[in-house]
Amino acid sequence: MENLDIIKSLVANSGPINEQLARYGVKFGIYKNGSFNERLFPFDPIPRIISALDWAFLQKGLVQRVTALNHFLYDIYSRKQIISDGIVPEDFVFSSSGYLAQCEGILPPYCVYSHISGIDLVQSKDGTWYVLEDNLRIPSGASYPLIARGLSRKCSPDTFAQNHILDNRSYGIMLRDVMDDMNRGGINVIYTPGRYNAAYFEHAYLAEQTGSVLAQPGDLFVENNVAYCRTLSGKERVGAIYRRISDEYLDPLTFLSESLIGIPGIMDVYKNGNVAIINAPGNGIADDKGIYYFVPKMIRYYLKEEPILQNAPTYLPFYEDDRKYVLANLKKLVIKDVAEAGGYGVLFGRDMDSSKLSEMENLIRTQPRRWIAQEVIDFKDLPIMENGQQIERKADLRAFVLYGKLTQAWPSGLTRFSRNPDSFIVNSSQGGGFKDTWVMAE
């Protein structure tokens, strides 16, 4: 089937697919300025298509990158060899808001820290893939292409029968296998802060896909250095917690004492090896946008290999030479606040007036650790449907790597696109939509 036929078939069914997504409550919630708002996460029927050759390249590069990042996390919270060998500056690591001293010396099962990694990539117009960000705390988004593929398959079965597309229904099994690999004895739990979380739909959906218990604040508790869950069957021991709450709220006895959604004492249980926490607390140091600058060096240092996937050309104002370059070329660069996420804190120099440029220059001089600067990559536009017309918009790809006893890239991913013709920001929280990602078989 030619691409034109694929598009016609899926576009014809896009209305029913979005109606079903709405019926299932496939939404993205945003809690901002004291109020919570939910909106549908709009699905575009034209898939992103990745060839078998491209996927073989991406898969190898993704596994390499996540392996190195896991080595880095183990090293930083134990030996700190990468610091003593001068690869990453000591003050740069310990000044990161993502570094948690409370996690020092804690070794998770099999020394795996990032069990689910979301690696954000873009493809430039010359075909080169670049990594824009590494998400190793609580990367979200796998459920959206998963459920959209299922609905598309029902609406247009011939499309999938006649094309050699890798099946993405493996995600639930892959995630369950990771949880089973790490489990310290007991049930698997997905721990959600509740329905007012931005990704609550995903928490519930993944619990169903993995056969895990969906637990909310108050359901989990600690007794005699063991984690338990209140279920309909009574008190059950918990062996693995895929937590979907931020580190600072996880345990009020270790982190924020005012947290009402945490599990008091869970960090002691974790420290003593009686429960696995997925992803490990403290991973924020590895997805600090400043630490991103050093990932190619980590790959060479830990794996003795050349990086397969490239970083976007990046400058670190922390270093004097880079700072001089950034200040001299601010108008043509994109500036990112290292502690922000979700598309916030991303500023394009070309969009700044003289007053804003002057303000930004001052911030970079006075707070150099807070920023990175990157060359603007003119990445590919992908076709989307809008008001019955096919147009093009900027799009990225969040690829998911699952790390248990095996390290595997899921043969699918979340392709997000901007709905604003002038924007390079594709994040859901910034009003973007999503589409399915087809990885083609050989």
Side-chain angles (χ1 to χ4, degrees):
M1 185 183 287
E2 297 297 326
N3 285 355
L4 183 59
D5 295 323
I6 293 173
I7 290 169
K8 286 178 179 178
S9 175
L10 291 173
V11 167
N13 290 286
S14 61
I17 293 170
N18 272 294
E19 287 171 10
Q20 288 291 318
L21 291 172
R23 188 174 300 167
Y24 284 130
V26 182
K27 297 178 180 178
F28 192 89
I30 301 173
Y31 188 82
K32 191 175 182 183
N33 299 326
S35 64
F36 178 79
N37 296 293
E38 277 186 317
R39 64 170 182 80
L40 292 175
F41 196 6
F43 170 70
D44 182 76
I46 306 174
R48 166 178 235 147
I49 298 176
I50 298 177
S51 70
L53 187 64
D54 263 7
W55 180 248
F57 168 78
L58 285 173
Q59 182 173 233
K60 191 175 179 182
L62 289 164
V63 168
Q64 179 196 58
R65 192 174 181 96
V66 170
T67 300
L69 284 163
N70 266 286
H71 279 297
F72 171 72
L73 285 162
Y74 167 71
D75 191 6
I76 285 300
Y77 286 114
S78 56
R79 299 173 302 171
K80 300 173 179 56
Q81 197 68 39
I82 199 168
I83 292 175
S84 59
D85 285 346
I87 308 299
V88 180
E90 180 177 16
D91 51 351
F92 199 88
V93 170
F94 298 131
S95 63
S96 170
S97 60
Y99 166 76
L100 298 180
Q102 298 93 327
C103 297
E104 279 289 339
I106 300 178
L107 294 182
Y110 305 103
C111 295
V112 178
Y113 287 78
S114 187
H115 310 85
I116 302 109
S117 305
I119 309 299
D120 293 345
L121 307 108
V122 294
Q123 188 177 25
S124 68
K125 291 182 176 177
D126 68 4
T128 305
W129 287 93
Y130 292 95
V131 176
L132 289 188
E133 288 185 11
D134 304 292
N135 299 280
L136 282 72
R137 300 187 217 203
I138 317 172
S140 65
S143 64
Y144 300 108
L146 196 56
I147 192 170
R149 175 79 63 87
L151 292 173
S152 298
R153 191 183 295 274
K154 288 179 182 178
C155 289
S156 183
D158 287 348
T159 298
F160 296 88
Q162 298 174 28
N163 289 277
H164 302 290
I165 307 160
L166 292 183
D167 197 335
N168 75 348
R169 286 175 288 187
S170 58
Y171 188 81
I173 296 169
M174 292 169 70
L175 179 55
R176 185 187 66 207
D177 286 348
V178 167
M179 296 175 76
D180 287 346
D181 288 347
M182 300 298 128
N183 193 292
R184 311 314 288 165
I187 62 172
N188 290 329
V189 165
I190 293 182
Y191 187 60
T192 174
R195 71 167 303 274
Y196 291 110
N197 183 266
Y200 178 72
F201 159 78
E202 177 162 275
H203 306 166
Y205 185 74
L206 292 179
E208 178 186 340
Q209 291 290 307
T210 58
S212 303
V213 172
L214 182 67
Q216 302 196 32
D219 291 341
L220 301 187
F221 61 97
V222 169
E223 279 185 2
N224 301 319
N225 214 23
V226 174
Y228 293 97
C229 181
R230 296 180 178 90
T231 70
L232 293 176
S233 304
K235 181 174 80 171
E236 295 193 61
R237 179 168 178 168
V238 176
I241 302 171
Y242 176 19
R243 51 75 179 243
R244 296 298 297 256
I245 69 171
S246 299
D247 290 347
E248 61 268 31
Y249 300 109
L250 184 58
D251 185 345
L253 301 183
T254 301
F255 303 115
L256 284 178
S257 59
E258 60 267 33
S259 172
L260 301 177
I261 59 174
I263 310 159
I266 196 64
M267 284 297 290
D268 282 339
V269 181
Y270 172 59
K271 184 176 182 179
N272 283 281
N274 294 332
V275 72
I277 298 178
I278 300 168
N279 279 337
N283 277 11
I285 180 58
D287 67 15
D288 179 306
K289 289 183 177 67
I291 292 294
Y292 157 95
Y293 174 91
F294 297 98
V295 176
K297 295 183 179 183
M298 291 178 201
I299 293 169
R300 297 184 184 101
Y301 179 74
Y302 293 119
L303 307 182
K304 314 304 181 191
E305 298 171 358
E306 281 301 305
I308 296 167
L309 294 171
Q310 298 185 38
N311 275 13
T314 303
Y315 308 96
L316 211 59
F318 177 83
Y319 291 128
E320 184 178 356
D321 286 348
D322 280 18
R323 185 165 63 251
K324 288 179 180 176
Y325 178 85
V326 170
L327 292 172
N329 295 276
L330 195 56
K331 193 71 177 175
K332 69 173 189 176
L333 300 173
V334 55
I335 312 298
K336 296 182 178 180
D337 188 322
V338 300
E340 292 281 5
Y344 297 102
V346 177
L347 303 164
F348 287 82
R350 66 190 180 200
D351 297 333
M352 299 183 198
D353 59 23
S354 58
S355 174
K356 187 65 180 176
L357 281 169
S358 178
E359 180 185 344
M360 191 74 249
E361 288 171 2
N362 184 56
L363 285 169
I364 289 169
R365 286 192 181 96
T366 57
Q367 302 176 48
R369 173 62 177 85
R370 181 181 168 185
W371 311 97
I372 63 168
Q374 293 177 325
E375 302 287 352
V376 177
I377 297 172
D378 189 13
F379 54 96
K380 275 188 176 180
D381 300 271
L382 294 183
I384 69 166
M385 295 302 298
E386 188 171 283
N387 300 321
Q389 300 293 317
Q390 184 176 317
I391 57 175
E392 293 194 334
R393 291 288 183 267
K394 296 296 181 188
D396 78 348
L397 171 67
R398 173 165 292 182
F400 292 88
V401 180
L402 285 88
Y403 198 133
K405 291 181 179 176
L406 296 174
T407 309
Q408 304 173 77
W410 179 42
S412 186
L414 176 65
T415 292
R416 301 173 296 183
F417 61 87
S418 172
R419 299 173 79 194
N420 180 343
D422 301 316
S423 178
F424 280 58
I425 307 296
V426 300
N427 302 71
S428 324
S429 53
Q430 303 293 305
F434 81 102
K435 55 172 68 217
D436 197 1
T437 304
W438 291 3
V439 176
M440 307 307 290
E442 291 183 10

